[in-house]
């Protein structure tokens, strides 16, 4: 899939759409989700142009991949949810209803969210 330079997160990265920067380094940017689904709901995106987690995993450099996951951990720490716990969701492709075609991870926490799957145990 070709990267769409006009997707919302590309515009945020270029500073064309305002956001509240929670964390930024040379690999990643984190900002609040505009439509929060938990007490804490932050999005983290790589600075590189990757359409999805599949694209990121397959084509990003080892430095970018390490940088992104280190940034994600740093964001959880900053948000004070490292100890209480959090959920990371990455939608990828049509079945997941991925809306924005720039790879992003949702970081959700700050409250008891229950088990994701309804199974015993
Ligand atoms: P997904 O379905 O995984 O592609 O999720 C995209 C997310 O981006 C949704 O949760 C939206 O609420 C969020 N979103 C869309 N536009 C913005 C924006 N300008 N700032 C912050 N979050 C946004």
């Amino acid at each position: 899939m070709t990267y769409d330079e006009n997707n919302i997160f590309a515009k945020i990265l270029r500073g064309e759409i305002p956001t509240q920067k929670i964390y930024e380094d040379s690999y990643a940017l984190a900002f609040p989700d505009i439509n929060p689904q938990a007490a804490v709901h932050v999005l983290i995106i790589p600075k590189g142009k990757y359409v999805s987690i599949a694209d990121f995993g397959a084509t990003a450099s080892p430095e970018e991949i390490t940088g992104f996951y280190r940034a994600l951990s740093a964001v959880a720490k900053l948000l004070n949810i490292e100890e209480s716990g959090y959920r990371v969701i990455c939608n990828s492709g049509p079945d997941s209803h991925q809306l924005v075609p720039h790879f992003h991870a949702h970081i959700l926490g700050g409250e008891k969210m229950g088990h994701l799957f309804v199974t015993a145990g």
Side-chain angles (χ1 to χ4, degrees), residues 22-25 27-30 42-46 53 56 64-82 85-90 103-108:
I22 288 176
Y23 177 92
E24 183 173 23
D25 63 21
Y27 297 107
L29 173 69
V42 166
L43 299 171
I44 181 164
I45 63 176
I53 191 170
F56 185 67
E64 287 175 293
I65 293 172
T66 304
F68 179 78
Y69 285 103
R70 292 239 198 282
L72 196 158
S73 301
V75 169
K77 202 168 199 161
L78 263 177
L79 295 169
N80 217 18
I81 55 172
E82 191 183 40
Y86 55 96
R87 179 172 287 156
V88 177
I89 294 176
C90 302
F103 169 45
H104 52 283
H106 298 254
I107 305 172
L108 300 141

Side-chain angles (χ1 to χ4, degrees), residues 8-9 12 17-19 31-37 41 43 89-92 96-102 104 106:
I8 296 165
F9 296 166
I12 285 178
I17 292 180
T19 192
F31 51 92
D33 194 293
I34 208 167
N35 182 22
Q37 301 299 312
H41 186 173
L43 299 171
I89 294 176
C90 302
N91 293 317
S92 181
S96 74
H97 289 276
Q98 180 182 0
L99 292 173
V100 182
H102 180 113
H104 52 283
H106 298 254

